Amino acid sequence: MRGGGAARRALTVVPALALVAALSGTAAAETPPDFSDLNPNDISRSAVEDSVSDINPSEFVTGIDPSGFVEELEQEEVEGSTTTVTISADVLFEFDEATLNKGAEKQLTSVAERLKNVTGTVEVVGHSDGIGDDDYNKKLSEDRAKAVKKALEDELGSDGPDIEATGKGSSDPVAEETDDDGNDMPSARAKNRRVEISFEGS
């Protein structure tokens, strides 16, 4: 607290000194006057208040819409009678892994509930971003799709619909991963790392 008090006293004296210098007519190019004998208590309150300018902070604040910086972790698209639920692979898996993480269970339990009354075969398709070897990415995306398939089957039991799992690697991107200058765009790569679950019915 002692340091805070010293800071407040310093902020009080500096504008007053600037005011005294202005009133004395001292030019900027001249040698600064000696204020060593100046007693801050001799400076009137009105002089200090006159040396302070009001600032409207709203003029210096830029509004930011956070929705423009948030990526959806799950999306749904309906085309005819087919519903496709797309889940970010970053939600389901750790980096470069095909084992479902702890947070994936809740996400897939919600999807499994919707698959109980579907007709036909459920298709699970894994996708990767474009970094790395194509064959490796295809294998990784396929292994991830299989992991999702197994989790859904475990949730649904023997009465659940047939589920097929495939991996497309980076062959079917939904976003350009570099800009016009060739700079990498991590947010776009994140969109391409995904698992799509498609089914007929509710």
Side-chain angles (χ1 to χ4, degrees):
M1 295 301 293
R2 292 177 58 191
R8 286 194 292 273
R9 287 196 293 273
L11 289 173
T12 300
V13 173
V14 170
L17 295 181
L19 176 63
V20 172
L23 294 176
S24 66
T26 304
E30 297 177 359
T31 302
D34 182 9
F35 293 115
S36 59
D37 295 331
L38 182 64
N39 184 351
N41 295 324
D42 294 337
I43 302 173
S44 68
R45 181 179 181 84
S46 61
V48 174
E49 292 177 348
D50 291 343
S51 68
V52 178
S53 299
D54 291 332
I55 298 176
N56 181 4
S58 63
E59 298 177 3
F60 303 93
V61 177
T62 301
I64 298 177
D65 180 6
S67 63
F69 300 89
V70 177
E71 297 292 343
E72 293 186 58
L73 303 181
E74 180 178 313
Q75 299 180 32
E76 179 178 311
E77 181 180 349
V78 179
E79 185 174 344
S81 60
T82 302
T83 298
T84 299
V85 176
T86 301
I87 305 176
S88 169
D90 295 348
V91 174
L92 303 174
F93 305 95
E94 300 301 329
F95 175 75
D96 205 30
E97 295 290 339
T99 301
L100 291 168
N101 61 34
K102 294 180 180 179
E105 180 178 353
K106 181 178 180 180
Q107 199 84 23
L108 295 178
T109 297
S110 175
V111 175
E113 283 294 321
R114 302 184 58 185
L115 300 180
K116 290 182 177 179
N117 299 317
V118 305
T119 58
T121 301
V122 176
E123 295 185 0
V124 179
V125 183
H127 301 267
S128 74
D129 61 27
I131 296 178
D133 180 74
D134 288 343
D135 290 338
Y136 179 86
N137 287 339
K138 189 174 188 308
K139 177 69 164 55
L140 177 64
S141 66
E142 183 176 346
D143 289 344
R144 286 180 167 181
K146 289 178 178 178
V148 171
K149 171 188 174 181
K150 183 178 186 308
L152 293 175
E153 288 175 338
D154 290 344
E155 285 283 342
L156 293 166
S158 59
D159 294 332
D162 291 334
I163 302 176
E164 293 183 354
T166 57
K168 292 189 175 182
S170 59
S171 65
D172 190 16
V174 294
E176 292 291 335
E177 298 185 354
T178 57
D179 60 21
D180 293 339
D181 296 324
N183 299 312
D184 186 77
M185 295 195 294
S187 61
R189 292 192 186 281
K191 289 181 179 180
N192 290 333
R193 296 190 297 269
R194 66 198 193 277
V195 176
E196 297 173 339
I197 304 169
S198 301
F199 53 92
E200 301 282 338
S202 58

